């Protein structure tokens, strides 16, 4: 279909093809219907499984408390066509066609929602007993490993490494976590905030080894750069993820330094009628004055509403959320909201060696981010304060007995 013909097609009748059947893709289809779109919608997923939610994979599914985590979405009732087990291979914008394993798929509007893929540990390809944890198949392969209570080595002390270590300890496994940096969550949090979390590992009976680089993985063992040999009935690699966008090479869709699709504030790419949402895309944030690439569930939930609104074209919807995520690890419920990169002051609420505390990041007198451990009320109130851009009194903020909402200064924040 030519661009001119596509532009003449009424917005409510255009063919929308969504690439990716995870949270972002499924929610885009649901949001289109919820906002009144009546044209054909097709969701294409590389995995053969019914679309499913990922957070339970490192919790209930991994521990055998649930067989799966399929979305509670009636695609037939929504009038959404699912094409599963069908990998996208490329895009030809001039022809308005998506190339897939099953052949070309025409579109009027294309939504890229392919998410992220885990980074593999070099040299582990083909080594038996090495696992990733990203998909339902990954979780199902790991479940019997936990049931057999193997000695497990986790490579990477990030969010997913901590969550898997938590599940493995609950299953009765001996767990060692090796981290090349000097602390857990080194890429996500400042040293002073991450430092108290190191004690959580020992409290749970998990051995944490920092400054520990993996030299190689052998069947039954992980060998560190200092020569230490760690017995490993299984190895789980959790060293990060990258946008799953390699298939877009040559499409004309511009990618950023991390391989992410560069979307604008309305989640449009530089290619006509092609949008990008979720883990595979970054977007400019006016709130934080920089481009954000967010690999978290809430971003995949919220962004599709903006995409759907802009496809319909009835409003001019800009995407500028307060990022949010949570993690359950070692008996703690950890929540984070905002973006702390540009903060110039850090304020503690409570004792970080205790079971419940919060740390707040300020820029000037405005709250820009907070991390709450076992204090969900702080998180809920703080998120609203960030959204409102309110000035805060740092002294009042530091009192953990005082509600966050009562720490606001009298004058409104300036832009």
């Amino acid at each position: 279909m030519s661009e001119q013909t596509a532009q003449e097609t009424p917005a409510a009748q255009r063919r929308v093809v969504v690439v990716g059947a995870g949270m972002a893709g499924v929610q885009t289809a649901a949001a289109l219907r919820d906002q009144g779109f009546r044209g054909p919608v097709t969701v294409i997923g590389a995995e053969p499984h019914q679309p499913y939610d990922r957070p339970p994979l490192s919790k209930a599914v991994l521990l055998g408390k649930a067989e799966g985590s399929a979305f509670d979405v009636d695609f037939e009732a929504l009038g959404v066509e699912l094409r599963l087990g069908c990998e996208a291979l490329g895009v030809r914008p001039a022809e308005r066609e998506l190339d897939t394993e099953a052949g070309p798929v025409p579109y009027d509007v294309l939504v890229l929602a392919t998410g992220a893929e885990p980074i593999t540990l070099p040299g582990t390809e083909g080594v038996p007993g090495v696992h990733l944890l990203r998909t339902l198949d990954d979780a199902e392969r790991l479940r019997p490993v936990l049931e057999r209570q193997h000695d497990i080595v986790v490579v990477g002390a990030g969010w997913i490494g901590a969550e898997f270590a938590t599940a493995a300890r609950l299953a009765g496994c001996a767990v060692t976590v090796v981290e090349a940096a000097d602390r857990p969550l080194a890429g996500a949090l400042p040293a002073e905030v991450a430092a108290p979390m190191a004690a959580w590992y020992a409290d749970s009976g998990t051995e944490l080894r920092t400054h520990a680089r993996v030299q190689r993985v052998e069947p039954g063992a992980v060998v560190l750069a200092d020569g230490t040999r760690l017995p490993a009935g299984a190895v789980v690699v959790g060293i990060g993820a990258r946008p799953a966008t390699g298939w877009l090479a040559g499409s004309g869709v511009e990618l950023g330094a991390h391989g992410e699709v560069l979307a604008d504030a309305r989640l449009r790419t530089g290619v006509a009628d092609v949008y990008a949402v979720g883990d595979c895309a970054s977007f400019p944030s006016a709130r934080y004055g920089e481009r954000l690439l967010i690999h978290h569930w809430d971003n995949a939930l919220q962004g599709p509403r903006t995409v759907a609104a802009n496809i319909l074209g009835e409003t001019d919807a800009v995407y500028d959320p307060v990022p949010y995520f949570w993690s359950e690890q070692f008996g703690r419920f950890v929540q984070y909201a905002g973006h702390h990169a540009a903060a110039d002051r850090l304020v503690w609420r409570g004792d970080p060696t205790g079971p419940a505390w919060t740390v707040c990041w300020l820029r000037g007198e405005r709250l820009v981010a907070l991390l709450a451990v076992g204090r969900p009320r702080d998180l809920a109130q703080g998120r609203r304060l960030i959204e409102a851009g309110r000035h805060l009194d740092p002294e009042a903020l530091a009192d953990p007995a005082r509600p966050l909402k009562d720490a606001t200064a009298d004058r409104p924040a300036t832009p």
Side-chain angles (χ1 to χ4, degrees):
M1 177 179 287
S2 70
E3 185 171 345
Q4 180 179 358
T5 304
Q7 290 172 346
E8 292 172 353
T9 304
Q13 297 302 317
R14 302 174 78 187
R15 294 171 296 182
V16 178
V17 174
V18 181
V19 190
M23 172 62 80
V26 167
Q27 287 299 319
T28 296
L32 282 165
R33 292 296 189 233
D34 186 56
Q35 295 180 30
F37 182 77
R38 295 293 175 259
V41 177
T42 300
V43 175
I44 295 176
E47 294 183 57
H49 308 291
Q50 191 74 4
Y52 61 87
D53 204 4
R54 293 191 188 277
L57 298 184
S58 61
K59 305 171 184 71
V61 175
L62 191 61
L63 290 170
K65 297 178 181 179
E67 289 303 313
S69 55
F71 291 118
D72 185 18
V73 176
D74 189 335
F75 293 97
E76 185 176 354
L78 283 177
V80 172
E81 179 189 9
L82 282 182
R83 298 189 188 181
L84 303 176
C86 181
E87 186 174 356
L89 303 176
V91 182
R92 288 176 286 118
E95 292 81 12
R96 290 185 180 254
E97 286 189 335
L98 172 75
D99 289 324
T100 76
E101 289 178 320
V105 178
Y107 69 85
D108 294 320
V109 179
L110 184 66
V111 181
L112 309 175
T114 46
E117 55 195 5
I119 297 171
T120 58
L121 187 65
T124 60
E125 296 80 2
V127 178
V130 177
H131 299 263
L132 300 169
L133 181 52
R134 181 73 183 181
T135 68
L136 180 59
D137 289 340
D138 291 337
E140 290 179 345
R141 281 190 289 266
L142 276 165
R143 190 156 62 185
V145 172
L146 299 193
E147 290 172 353
R148 291 193 293 267
Q149 297 187 336
H150 281 296
D151 289 347
I152 295 176
V153 173
V154 179
V155 182
W159 299 111
I160 192 65
E163 290 187 4
F164 177 80
T166 299
R169 286 297 298 141
L170 288 173
C173 300
V175 182
T176 300
V177 178
V178 296
E179 169 58 52
D182 62 349
R183 63 187 187 276
L185 295 167
L189 297 173
E192 61 188 305
V193 177
M197 299 177 175
W200 300 355
Y201 288 77
D203 291 346
S204 73
T206 301
E207 181 181 1
L208 173 63
R209 288 175 174 253
T210 56
H211 299 287
R213 293 190 175 276
V214 175
Q215 184 179 76
R216 65 183 183 276
V217 178
E218 302 173 348
V222 172
V223 181
L224 302 181
D226 64 2
T228 301
R229 187 182 183 88
L230 302 174
V235 178
V236 177
V237 178
I239 55 176
R242 62 168 64 93
T245 56
W247 65 281
L248 290 169
S251 67
V253 174
E254 187 179 0
L255 304 181
H258 302 285
E260 81 280 13
V261 177
L262 295 177
D264 68 10
R266 291 160 182 79
L267 299 181
R268 303 171 301 195
T269 73
V271 176
D273 291 313
V274 178
Y275 294 78
V277 65
D279 290 5
C280 72
S282 66
F283 58 91
S285 169
R287 185 189 309 276
Y288 290 105
E290 62 181 284
R291 181 169 284 275
L292 299 182
L293 174 60
I294 303 170
H295 285 183
H296 292 299
W297 185 90
D298 192 66
N299 179 52
L301 174 67
Q302 304 295 340
R305 299 169 190 166
T306 299
V307 171
N310 286 318
I311 289 173
L312 282 161
E314 296 174 0
T315 62
D316 185 29
V318 171
Y319 189 58
D320 195 7
V322 173
Y324 167 76
F325 72 89
W326 79 97
S327 177
E328 295 177 84
Q329 52 184 268
F330 308 118
R332 276 90 170 173
F333 185 46
V334 184
Q335 295 173 283
Y336 177 96
H339 181 65
H340 66 266
D344 51 34
R345 183 171 183 177
L346 187 150
V347 178
W348 291 90
R349 285 171 58 81
D351 181 0
T353 65
W357 48 273
T358 298
V359 62
C360 301
W361 285 271
L362 301 176
R363 184 171 62 220
E365 293 180 352
R366 273 188 291 186
L367 184 68
V368 294
L370 77 161
L371 180 138
V373 176
R375 292 179 67 97
R377 184 174 296 178
D378 274 5
L379 190 289
Q381 294 180 5
R383 191 176 184 182
R384 288 193 289 269
L385 291 171
I386 296 171
E387 290 171 346
R390 298 291 301 277
H391 276 90
L392 298 180
D393 177 351
E395 290 188 9
L397 192 65
D399 181 358
R402 184 169 181 172
L404 258 178
K405 64 180 181 180
D406 293 343
T408 56
D410 291 332
R411 63 186 186 285
T414 56

